[in-house]
Amino acid sequence: MARIGVFVCWCGENIARNVDVQAIAAAAAEEPGVACGVAYKYMCSDPGQTLIGEKIAAERLDGIVIASCSPHMHLKTFRKTAQRQGLNPYLVEMANIREHCSWVHHDREQATAKALDLIRMAVAKVRRDQALEPIRVPVTRRALVIGGGVAGIQAALDIADAGYQVVMVEREPSIGGKMAGLSETFPTLDCSQCILTPRMVDVAQHPNIKLYTCSEVESVDGFLGNFKVTIRKRARYVDIAKCTGCGQCWNACPSKKNLSQFDYGMGTRTAIYVPFPQAVPARPVIDPAACIRLTKGKCGICAKKCQAGAILFEDHDELVSEDVGAVVVATGYQLYQIGRPEGDDKLSGYGEYGYGRYPDVIDSLQFERLVSASGPSGGELRRPSDGQVPKTVVFVSCVGSRDNAKGLSYCSKICCMVNAKHTMLYKHKVHDGQAHVFYMDIRAGGKNYDEFVRRAIEQDGAHYHRGRVSKITEENGRLIVRGVDTLAGEPLTIAADMVVLASAIRPAERVEELAQKLNVGYDEFGFLSESHPKLRPVETNAAGVFVCGVCQGPKDIPESVAQASAAAGKVLVMFSHENLSREPEIARVNETTCAACFACRRACPYHAIDQAEIRDRGGKLIKRTARVNPGLCMGCGTCVAVCPSKSADLDGFTEQQIYAMLECLA
Amino acid sequence: MTMLDELHQTCRRLLEEGSVKVVIGYAQSAPDEPAFPVFIDDVADVGQLVWNEWCLANLTKYLLRKDIRALGKPAIIVKGCDERALLVLERESQIDRAEMVVIGMACPGMGQPPQAVCGGCDVHQPRFCDITIGEAAAGDAADTRYAELDAFLKKTPAERMAYWRDELSRCVKCYACRQACPLCYCERCIVDKNRPTAIDTSATLKGNFAWQITRAFHLAGRCVGCDQCTRACPAGIDLRLLNLTTAKAAEAHFAYRAGMDRQAEPVIGGYSEQDQESFIR
Amino acid sequence: MSETEAIRLPSPPAPLPQRGEGSRDEKRLPSSPDQPSAAAGGEGSVFEPKIIAYVCNWCTYLGADLAGTNRLEYPANVRIVRLPCTGRIDFNLIVKAFEIGADAVLVSGCHPGDCHYTAGNYHARRRWILFRELLDTLGIEMDRIHFSWISAAEGKKFQQVVSEITAKTRQMGPYRAYHEICQS
């Protein structure tokens, strides 16, 4: 006969307010198979857990039910409690009488009745739990970092410095991400490239880092500790091993008027190009859409000029395979595409700001390039339309952010600081210029951030107007910005030479595709989902896959770097063990009764079921059967549902357990 | 030469040259009675094989029986509907076509008087056999295939429930339907499982409903419409209606008919991102 | 420690419904706020539907947790059975729920494309499409079986779905047709 212990938590008064915890502890004790029923104020606390441990020993319990909060909260906690007392941690179940009961039902009688039902179900379940042992899995101690921006670079360096190999995959021809294109960074006004490029070089030269640029992750197979990643190396058309970076090719290239992606369209480049002088690798790439040889079959001057014979017009995409044990996703962001025709359907708005219509209405990343010393105008701020130096520049906050109606509902976090920075950069370049900022709020919560904004206003003379901009039009070569100053209570119109829109930041393009390959969740905006917003911000629900940087949510550089190190830390925890433990709540097949129809094999999302043969000692085939690979099974139970003979079952959620739980509700 | 003569000649040849060890076919004890299965392993007995409108049974069931397998490599006589079962069994790893010789017989329809269900058949001519005897018009009854079901669905839900209460009250849980069906091959059927008892084995309405729902659902996208189950049921329950339901659903939603296309992916165990979900909120 | 322990008291205090006492229809539960108590109806009782919800651990269960964290109130009739994935839910669990006296069943999981196990919900959806047709032919009341996609961020949706199902089932009354089958 079972000896189950039922422990009912008051949770302070979170549960006790609406559920009669004493009564249900007493009633639970009367249930068949229950040896004791105990109520306590805080089960998860130290004395609470000690109480559980004492009862396990004193009452010789062979299973426990904790009636308290959600298992997502504390199931692991209580499993450890049991383990410390020598009780198998998988003989622990929880009844969620808080999130699913006391917090949502305020009729005490009903809530108490439901709580008792939930406890009965948990008792029925735990009575049929099996003692399970974690599955040991060897781990490949190599990491994959997807994305070569500042976050990816930080994570890669941390892991590589710890002595493990890192494979970094970057979509663009160079690493560096958005930070490489910035002019200066807040709140210190450091030269962005000056602080980033040494780390980029570290990555390139690190003996433990293998860098793939112009590459993307094609597919990911396997599981925690044992991922097999297929990487698509896109055709670069240049052999970077032979290339010396001498520049003869791009100096000779006749296809010159291509918009530069690195300059966000503010400048041009040749068809064969290095994205920026400090690129890593500092080797060119050919844009196949702009190259005359690749599109029309003519020219080929670069190949003639190249002394190293590094031009490869016949280059093609290549698929390579890498085995890794952990994946860090650091794919960064893009800006909300305002009013551009190819933008997202559900995000189309702000055409009234004239972006795309008036060349002098630009977004913040474009402004960074215009003021950047390595930018298209060599650091002199000249406006795109006529090259004149703008004397009045308006910066508009919250374009696309914080807007439920036609944008994104969230705050992009960095734009207030970016605007302040831009007003200061502008003032430093154009001493007689006047910066105006239309803002809703000022969000400057970081270290020295508020002081920075004050500097922009008090020392660099930026005019801040609290209000939104309704419309931007052009009259006589000037941009008429119509807005409102809510503090003064009046509409405000400014005639500007240039307008900079602080557009919302969004996750990078096609990140959802990547997330699905990795089995990582994402929210409605595409930001990758962390396991827990407060307590596990860099892990995902896909074991062995971690996130850092803006791909997880809007944040600035210090936070991205901190998260990157955090993710690296998690990877290093994984790598500190020779073997990893896998949760043993996985499927198993009763090989005696299996009819070998292999419906389970077809259905399994992880290809975790194999065809196996059972032979006698003479080698004669007795029968064939399906067999679950415990290293691959993730415990979803799809196989159980499709099995016609119900030979497949799922430890921790067996057919017997579910039926027993239902029966006790009859 | 008649089809029967050709059949006899073929079977004698196969046995004489040793290509097969046993022929699974039809025999009769009297001319106007349903044929029963025979297992001929001697050339001298080939004359027992018959071929006429009484060859209702689906012989593919016997391919999975251990005692029949022990007889050696078989030749099996199938009609178009039986052949569909072979395709499903092959897809589900139950048979290996290389281990048998399949003799397909063109079939204009079975039964005396002709069965209604044969009127709706579109596989009068077998398509994937090793040896095919006879020729029949393929038939195309797409619009009448589910006529019986469509007529039934004109009843209100309450009427339908009353109908099934009546029908299933006669079920005695003999499991003849399961034994007769070539696609019910699980050695330990789910109804025989008692930890937990998924299906009440007693012949009460509760147990009968649970059993029939389970069996019908396990045949979703697999039933080939050979009608063995309906013929075998001693209580005369209209099992065909239930099987037609899931067959129609598989065809309507997933353009899939069991046993028609050797390459098609089975319905259960697969999915499409485009599967319709108007009923999911 | 001063906190109380309650072990084997002679009898549980009064308000708990005793198992086996009276038929389910006469459960002595007071009406919930959104419905006036039915003074008529014989014994002054109100029909409280029994609703079983099979939910997936990663989406709907967390969505229900979120409803709890946000203190979104809903009727107390639902009993959640937590499963790793909707892919685990076979049709016989739905039949079993009705067999033990449920008046409505909810099956809920992750939105298509977001399944924690990548494809479990796709498999489930395919089964549901076929199973509904079968139930329809049998004359089983389709209005008593509900399917939904509720993500971990949709606490409000969980509250709404459960509230609507409870209200609707209350209106429809107990599922006598199937319960009678199971008792005969």
PDB file of all heavy atoms in Angstrom, chain A residues 324-353:
ATOM      1  N   VAL A 324      28.241  20.535 -32.162  1.00  0.00           N
ATOM      2  CA  VAL A 324      28.402  21.396 -30.991  1.00  0.00           C
ATOM      3  C   VAL A 324      27.536  20.861 -29.862  1.00  0.00           C
ATOM      4  O   VAL A 324      26.629  20.057 -30.088  1.00  0.00           O
ATOM      5  CB  VAL A 324      28.014  22.865 -31.300  1.00  0.00           C
ATOM      6  CG1 VAL A 324      28.925  23.457 -32.341  1.00  0.00           C
ATOM      7  CG2 VAL A 324      26.569  22.965 -31.726  1.00  0.00           C
ATOM      8  N   GLY A 325      27.816  21.361 -28.661  1.00  0.00           N
ATOM      9  CA  GLY A 325      27.004  20.919 -27.531  1.00  0.00           C
ATOM     10  C   GLY A 325      26.032  21.986 -27.061  1.00  0.00           C
ATOM     11  O   GLY A 325      25.049  21.677 -26.396  1.00  0.00           O
ATOM     12  N   ALA A 326      26.320  23.251 -27.391  1.00  0.00           N
ATOM     13  CA  ALA A 326      25.459  24.347 -26.935  1.00  0.00           C
ATOM     14  C   ALA A 326      25.369  25.388 -28.033  1.00  0.00           C
ATOM     15  O   ALA A 326      26.271  25.522 -28.851  1.00  0.00           O
ATOM     16  CB  ALA A 326      26.028  24.973 -25.670  1.00  0.00           C
ATOM     17  N   VAL A 327      24.258  26.115 -28.030  1.00  0.00           N
ATOM     18  CA  VAL A 327      24.042  27.151 -29.038  1.00  0.00           C
ATOM     19  C   VAL A 327      23.713  28.458 -28.328  1.00  0.00           C
ATOM     20  O   VAL A 327      22.883  28.476 -27.404  1.00  0.00           O
ATOM     21  CB  VAL A 327      22.867  26.781 -29.972  1.00  0.00           C
ATOM     22  CG1 VAL A 327      22.635  27.873 -31.004  1.00  0.00           C
ATOM     23  CG2 VAL A 327      23.138  25.450 -30.658  1.00  0.00           C
ATOM     24  N   VAL A 328      24.359  29.541 -28.724  1.00  0.00           N
ATOM     25  CA  VAL A 328      24.021  30.864 -28.195  1.00  0.00           C
ATOM     26  C   VAL A 328      23.493  31.702 -29.356  1.00  0.00           C
ATOM     27  O   VAL A 328      24.167  31.851 -30.376  1.00  0.00           O
ATOM     28  CB  VAL A 328      25.258  31.561 -27.579  1.00  0.00           C
ATOM     29  CG1 VAL A 328      24.884  32.960 -27.098  1.00  0.00           C
ATOM     30  CG2 VAL A 328      25.806  30.738 -26.433  1.00  0.00           C
ATOM     31  N   VAL A 329      22.277  32.211 -29.200  1.00  0.00           N
ATOM     32  CA  VAL A 329      21.673  33.008 -30.267  1.00  0.00           C
ATOM     33  C   VAL A 329      21.857  34.480 -29.937  1.00  0.00           C
ATOM     34  O   VAL A 329      21.456  34.934 -28.855  1.00  0.00           O
ATOM     35  CB  VAL A 329      20.166  32.697 -30.415  1.00  0.00           C
ATOM     36  CG1 VAL A 329      19.600  33.459 -31.597  1.00  0.00           C
ATOM     37  CG2 VAL A 329      19.957  31.205 -30.590  1.00  0.00           C
ATOM     38  N   ALA A 330      22.480  35.216 -30.845  1.00  0.00           N
ATOM     39  CA  ALA A 330      22.738  36.644 -30.614  1.00  0.00           C
ATOM     40  C   ALA A 330      22.506  37.371 -31.923  1.00  0.00           C
ATOM     41  O   ALA A 330      23.412  38.020 -32.450  1.00  0.00           O
ATOM     42  CB  ALA A 330      24.174  36.830 -30.110  1.00  0.00           C
ATOM     43  N   THR A 331      21.299  37.277 -32.437  1.00  0.00           N
ATOM     44  CA  THR A 331      21.051  37.741 -33.793  1.00  0.00           C
ATOM     45  C   THR A 331      20.705  39.218 -33.894  1.00  0.00           C
ATOM     46  O   THR A 331      20.508  39.738 -34.992  1.00  0.00           O
ATOM     47  CB  THR A 331      19.918  36.925 -34.432  1.00  0.00           C
ATOM     48  OG1 THR A 331      18.826  36.860 -33.503  1.00  0.00           O
ATOM     49  CG2 THR A 331      20.378  35.525 -34.744  1.00  0.00           C
ATOM     50  N   GLY A 332      20.586  39.919 -32.770  1.00  0.00           N
ATOM     51  CA  GLY A 332      20.480  41.369 -32.830  1.00  0.00           C
ATOM     52  C   GLY A 332      19.156  41.889 -33.353  1.00  0.00           C
ATOM     53  O   GLY A 332      18.111  41.278 -33.155  1.00  0.00           O
ATOM     54  N   TYR A 333      19.215  43.026 -34.051  1.00  0.00           N
ATOM     55  CA  TYR A 333      17.967  43.709 -34.405  1.00  0.00           C
ATOM     56  C   TYR A 333      18.024  44.372 -35.772  1.00  0.00           C
ATOM     57  O   TYR A 333      19.045  44.379 -36.437  1.00  0.00           O
ATOM     58  CB  TYR A 333      17.642  44.764 -33.345  1.00  0.00           C
ATOM     59  CG  TYR A 333      18.576  45.967 -33.310  1.00  0.00           C
ATOM     60  CD1 TYR A 333      18.254  47.147 -33.972  1.00  0.00           C
ATOM     61  CD2 TYR A 333      19.767  45.930 -32.587  1.00  0.00           C
ATOM     62  CE1 TYR A 333      19.095  48.249 -33.939  1.00  0.00           C
ATOM     63  CE2 TYR A 333      20.606  47.029 -32.548  1.00  0.00           C
ATOM     64  CZ  TYR A 333      20.267  48.185 -33.221  1.00  0.00           C
ATOM     65  OH  TYR A 333      21.114  49.275 -33.168  1.00  0.00           O
ATOM     66  N   GLN A 334      16.880  44.903 -36.149  1.00  0.00           N
ATOM     67  CA  GLN A 334      16.779  45.799 -37.291  1.00  0.00           C
ATOM     68  C   GLN A 334      15.824  46.913 -36.866  1.00  0.00           C
ATOM     69  O   GLN A 334      15.142  46.806 -35.844  1.00  0.00           O
ATOM     70  CB  GLN A 334      16.196  45.048 -38.493  1.00  0.00           C
ATOM     71  CG  GLN A 334      14.812  44.482 -38.203  1.00  0.00           C
ATOM     72  CD  GLN A 334      14.188  43.807 -39.396  1.00  0.00           C
ATOM     73  OE1 GLN A 334      14.359  44.258 -40.534  1.00  0.00           O
ATOM     74  NE2 GLN A 334      13.471  42.734 -39.164  1.00  0.00           N
ATOM     75  N   LEU A 335      15.782  47.967 -37.658  1.00  0.00           N
ATOM     76  CA  LEU A 335      14.841  49.041 -37.325  1.00  0.00           C
ATOM     77  C   LEU A 335      13.503  48.803 -38.010  1.00  0.00           C
ATOM     78  O   LEU A 335      13.428  48.202 -39.081  1.00  0.00           O
ATOM     79  CB  LEU A 335      15.390  50.408 -37.759  1.00  0.00           C
ATOM     80  CG  LEU A 335      16.531  50.983 -36.927  1.00  0.00           C
ATOM     81  CD1 LEU A 335      16.798  52.416 -37.353  1.00  0.00           C
ATOM     82  CD2 LEU A 335      16.221  50.919 -35.439  1.00  0.00           C
ATOM     83  N   TYR A 336      12.477  49.264 -37.392  1.00  0.00           N
ATOM     84  CA  TYR A 336      11.124  49.229 -37.950  1.00  0.00           C
ATOM     85  C   TYR A 336      11.151  49.971 -39.281  1.00  0.00           C
ATOM     86  O   TYR A 336      11.605  51.092 -39.363  1.00  0.00           O
ATOM     87  CB  TYR A 336      10.220  49.919 -36.931  1.00  0.00           C
ATOM     88  CG  TYR A 336       8.782  50.160 -37.304  1.00  0.00           C
ATOM     89  CD1 TYR A 336       8.108  49.351 -38.185  1.00  0.00           C
ATOM     90  CD2 TYR A 336       8.095  51.203 -36.715  1.00  0.00           C
ATOM     91  CE1 TYR A 336       6.774  49.586 -38.482  1.00  0.00           C
ATOM     92  CE2 TYR A 336       6.769  51.432 -36.987  1.00  0.00           C
ATOM     93  CZ  TYR A 336       6.116  50.627 -37.881  1.00  0.00           C
ATOM     94  OH  TYR A 336       4.802  50.856 -38.155  1.00  0.00           O
ATOM     95  N   GLN A 337      10.669  49.277 -40.311  1.00  0.00           N
ATOM     96  CA  GLN A 337      10.703  49.886 -41.639  1.00  0.00           C
ATOM     97  C   GLN A 337       9.477  50.764 -41.792  1.00  0.00           C
ATOM     98  O   GLN A 337       8.369  50.278 -42.005  1.00  0.00           O
ATOM     99  CB  GLN A 337      10.646  48.782 -42.705  1.00  0.00           C
ATOM    100  CG  GLN A 337      11.700  47.724 -42.522  1.00  0.00           C
ATOM    101  CD  GLN A 337      13.093  48.257 -42.830  1.00  0.00           C
ATOM    102  OE1 GLN A 337      13.380  48.647 -43.942  1.00  0.00           O
ATOM    103  NE2 GLN A 337      13.929  48.301 -41.818  1.00  0.00           N
ATOM    104  N   ILE A 338       9.698  52.073 -41.682  1.00  0.00           N
ATOM    105  CA  ILE A 338       8.538  52.953 -41.677  1.00  0.00           C
ATOM    106  C   ILE A 338       8.118  53.283 -43.079  1.00  0.00           C
ATOM    107  O   ILE A 338       8.905  53.766 -43.866  1.00  0.00           O
ATOM    108  CB  ILE A 338       8.898  54.313 -41.041  1.00  0.00           C
ATOM    109  CG1 ILE A 338       9.869  54.113 -39.904  1.00  0.00           C
ATOM    110  CG2 ILE A 338       7.669  55.056 -40.634  1.00  0.00           C
ATOM    111  CD1 ILE A 338      10.829  55.233 -39.824  1.00  0.00           C
ATOM    112  N   GLY A 339       6.869  53.065 -43.377  1.00  0.00           N
ATOM    113  CA  GLY A 339       6.332  53.561 -44.642  1.00  0.00           C
ATOM    114  C   GLY A 339       6.977  53.030 -45.896  1.00  0.00           C
ATOM    115  O   GLY A 339       6.704  53.492 -46.980  1.00  0.00           O
ATOM    116  N   ARG A 340       7.851  52.050 -45.766  1.00  0.00           N
ATOM    117  CA  ARG A 340       8.461  51.523 -46.984  1.00  0.00           C
ATOM    118  C   ARG A 340       7.565  50.427 -47.524  1.00  0.00           C
ATOM    119  O   ARG A 340       7.027  49.640 -46.781  1.00  0.00           O
ATOM    120  CB  ARG A 340       9.844  50.945 -46.684  1.00  0.00           C
ATOM    121  CG  ARG A 340      10.893  51.999 -46.527  1.00  0.00           C
ATOM    122  CD  ARG A 340      12.272  51.371 -46.648  1.00  0.00           C
ATOM    123  NE  ARG A 340      13.232  52.211 -45.982  1.00  0.00           N
ATOM    124  CZ  ARG A 340      14.300  51.749 -45.328  1.00  0.00           C
ATOM    125  NH1 ARG A 340      14.504  50.466 -45.250  1.00  0.00           N
ATOM    126  NH2 ARG A 340      15.128  52.582 -44.763  1.00  0.00           N
ATOM    127  N   PRO A 341       7.432  50.341 -48.833  1.00  0.00           N
ATOM    128  CA  PRO A 341       6.450  49.394 -49.398  1.00  0.00           C
ATOM    129  C   PRO A 341       6.716  47.947 -49.024  1.00  0.00           C
ATOM    130  O   PRO A 341       5.793  47.179 -48.856  1.00  0.00           O
ATOM    131  CB  PRO A 341       6.554  49.604 -50.905  1.00  0.00           C
ATOM    132  CG  PRO A 341       7.793  50.377 -51.135  1.00  0.00           C
ATOM    133  CD  PRO A 341       8.133  51.091 -49.886  1.00  0.00           C
ATOM    134  N   GLU A 342       7.974  47.546 -48.844  1.00  0.00           N
ATOM    135  CA  GLU A 342       8.209  46.128 -48.580  1.00  0.00           C
ATOM    136  C   GLU A 342       8.164  45.805 -47.100  1.00  0.00           C
ATOM    137  O   GLU A 342       8.577  44.762 -46.662  1.00  0.00           O
ATOM    138  CB  GLU A 342       9.558  45.661 -49.167  1.00  0.00           C
ATOM    139  CG  GLU A 342      10.774  46.289 -48.523  1.00  0.00           C
ATOM    140  CD  GLU A 342      11.212  47.549 -49.246  1.00  0.00           C
ATOM    141  OE1 GLU A 342      10.416  48.489 -49.351  1.00  0.00           O
ATOM    142  OE2 GLU A 342      12.349  47.586 -49.704  1.00  0.00           O
ATOM    143  N   GLY A 343       7.660  46.742 -46.314  1.00  0.00           N
ATOM    144  CA  GLY A 343       7.586  46.474 -44.885  1.00  0.00           C
ATOM    145  C   GLY A 343       6.554  45.406 -44.541  1.00  0.00           C
ATOM    146  O   GLY A 343       5.780  44.965 -45.365  1.00  0.00           O
ATOM    147  N   ASP A 344       6.572  45.010 -43.295  1.00  0.00           N
ATOM    148  CA  ASP A 344       5.649  44.014 -42.773  1.00  0.00           C
ATOM    149  C   ASP A 344       4.202  44.490 -42.936  1.00  0.00           C
ATOM    150  O   ASP A 344       3.919  45.641 -42.703  1.00  0.00           O
ATOM    151  CB  ASP A 344       5.974  43.867 -41.275  1.00  0.00           C
ATOM    152  CG  ASP A 344       5.531  42.541 -40.756  1.00  0.00           C
ATOM    153  OD1 ASP A 344       4.443  42.104 -41.133  1.00  0.00           O
ATOM    154  OD2 ASP A 344       6.296  41.966 -39.962  1.00  0.00           O
ATOM    155  N   ASP A 345       3.297  43.582 -43.289  1.00  0.00           N
ATOM    156  CA  ASP A 345       1.895  43.989 -43.436  1.00  0.00           C
ATOM    157  C   ASP A 345       1.333  44.606 -42.183  1.00  0.00           C
ATOM    158  O   ASP A 345       0.598  45.573 -42.226  1.00  0.00           O
ATOM    159  CB  ASP A 345       1.012  42.767 -43.719  1.00  0.00           C
ATOM    160  CG  ASP A 345       1.191  42.311 -45.137  1.00  0.00           C
ATOM    161  OD1 ASP A 345       1.531  43.144 -45.974  1.00  0.00           O
ATOM    162  OD2 ASP A 345       1.000  41.111 -45.361  1.00  0.00           O
ATOM    163  N   LYS A 346       1.621  43.958 -41.051  1.00  0.00           N
ATOM    164  CA  LYS A 346       0.926  44.418 -39.866  1.00  0.00           C
ATOM    165  C   LYS A 346       1.566  45.661 -39.281  1.00  0.00           C
ATOM    166  O   LYS A 346       1.060  46.239 -38.350  1.00  0.00           O
ATOM    167  CB  LYS A 346       0.837  43.306 -38.818  1.00  0.00           C
ATOM    168  CG  LYS A 346       2.142  42.773 -38.292  1.00  0.00           C
ATOM    169  CD  LYS A 346       1.834  41.665 -37.277  1.00  0.00           C
ATOM    170  CE  LYS A 346       3.061  41.212 -36.528  1.00  0.00           C
ATOM    171  NZ  LYS A 346       3.907  40.300 -37.280  1.00  0.00           N
ATOM    172  N   LEU A 347       2.714  46.033 -39.814  1.00  0.00           N
ATOM    173  CA  LEU A 347       3.351  47.242 -39.350  1.00  0.00           C
ATOM    174  C   LEU A 347       3.491  48.185 -40.526  1.00  0.00           C
ATOM    175  O   LEU A 347       4.446  48.111 -41.278  1.00  0.00           O
ATOM    176  CB  LEU A 347       4.736  46.935 -38.788  1.00  0.00           C
ATOM    177  CG  LEU A 347       4.755  46.050 -37.552  1.00  0.00           C
ATOM    178  CD1 LEU A 347       6.187  45.801 -37.142  1.00  0.00           C
ATOM    179  CD2 LEU A 347       3.999  46.678 -36.409  1.00  0.00           C
ATOM    180  N   SER A 348       2.539  49.044 -40.727  1.00  0.00           N
ATOM    181  CA  SER A 348       2.687  50.003 -41.799  1.00  0.00           C
ATOM    182  C   SER A 348       2.117  51.269 -41.225  1.00  0.00           C
ATOM    183  O   SER A 348       0.999  51.305 -40.744  1.00  0.00           O
ATOM    184  CB  SER A 348       1.892  49.582 -43.010  1.00  0.00           C
ATOM    185  OG  SER A 348       0.541  49.497 -42.670  1.00  0.00           O
ATOM    186  N   GLY A 349       2.903  52.225 -41.161  1.00  0.00           N
ATOM    187  CA  GLY A 349       2.360  53.436 -40.577  1.00  0.00           C
ATOM    188  C   GLY A 349       3.386  54.525 -40.665  1.00  0.00           C
ATOM    189  O   GLY A 349       4.498  54.296 -41.094  1.00  0.00           O
ATOM    190  N   TYR A 350       3.005  55.687 -40.244  1.00  0.00           N
ATOM    191  CA  TYR A 350       3.910  56.828 -40.202  1.00  0.00           C
ATOM    192  C   TYR A 350       4.301  57.305 -41.582  1.00  0.00           C
ATOM    193  O   TYR A 350       5.334  57.929 -41.767  1.00  0.00           O
ATOM    194  CB  TYR A 350       5.149  56.516 -39.340  1.00  0.00           C
ATOM    195  CG  TYR A 350       4.752  55.928 -38.022  1.00  0.00           C
ATOM    196  CD1 TYR A 350       4.883  54.565 -37.774  1.00  0.00           C
ATOM    197  CD2 TYR A 350       4.159  56.732 -37.045  1.00  0.00           C
ATOM    198  CE1 TYR A 350       4.453  54.032 -36.580  1.00  0.00           C
ATOM    199  CE2 TYR A 350       3.733  56.189 -35.859  1.00  0.00           C
ATOM    200  CZ  TYR A 350       3.881  54.836 -35.633  1.00  0.00           C
ATOM    201  OH  TYR A 350       3.453  54.306 -34.453  1.00  0.00           O
ATOM    202  N   GLY A 351       3.483  57.009 -42.552  1.00  0.00           N
ATOM    203  CA  GLY A 351       3.721  57.609 -43.865  1.00  0.00           C
ATOM    204  C   GLY A 351       3.635  59.116 -43.756  1.00  0.00           C
ATOM    205  O   GLY A 351       4.227  59.837 -44.548  1.00  0.00           O
ATOM    206  N   GLU A 352       2.920  59.567 -42.732  1.00  0.00           N
ATOM    207  CA  GLU A 352       2.781  61.015 -42.563  1.00  0.00           C
ATOM    208  C   GLU A 352       4.087  61.679 -42.169  1.00  0.00           C
ATOM    209  O   GLU A 352       4.188  62.897 -42.165  1.00  0.00           O
ATOM    210  CB  GLU A 352       1.707  61.334 -41.512  1.00  0.00           C
ATOM    211  CG  GLU A 352       2.022  60.856 -40.109  1.00  0.00           C
ATOM    212  CD  GLU A 352       1.476  59.454 -39.837  1.00  0.00           C
ATOM    213  OE1 GLU A 352       1.401  58.661 -40.786  1.00  0.00           O
ATOM    214  OE2 GLU A 352       1.162  59.173 -38.681  1.00  0.00           O
ATOM    215  N   TYR A 353       5.104  60.871 -41.841  1.00  0.00           N
ATOM    216  CA  TYR A 353       6.393  61.467 -41.516  1.00  0.00           C
ATOM    217  C   TYR A 353       7.273  61.636 -42.755  1.00  0.00           C
ATOM    218  O   TYR A 353       8.355  62.183 -42.672  1.00  0.00           O
ATOM    219  CB  TYR A 353       7.126  60.617 -40.468  1.00  0.00           C
ATOM    220  CG  TYR A 353       6.511  60.699 -39.096  1.00  0.00           C
ATOM    221  CD1 TYR A 353       6.893  59.815 -38.099  1.00  0.00           C
ATOM    222  CD2 TYR A 353       5.534  61.636 -38.771  1.00  0.00           C
ATOM    223  CE1 TYR A 353       6.347  59.861 -36.826  1.00  0.00           C
ATOM    224  CE2 TYR A 353       4.973  61.699 -37.514  1.00  0.00           C
ATOM    225  CZ  TYR A 353       5.379  60.801 -36.543  1.00  0.00           C
ATOM    226  OH  TYR A 353       4.835  60.850 -35.290  1.00  0.00           O
TER     227      TYR A 353
END
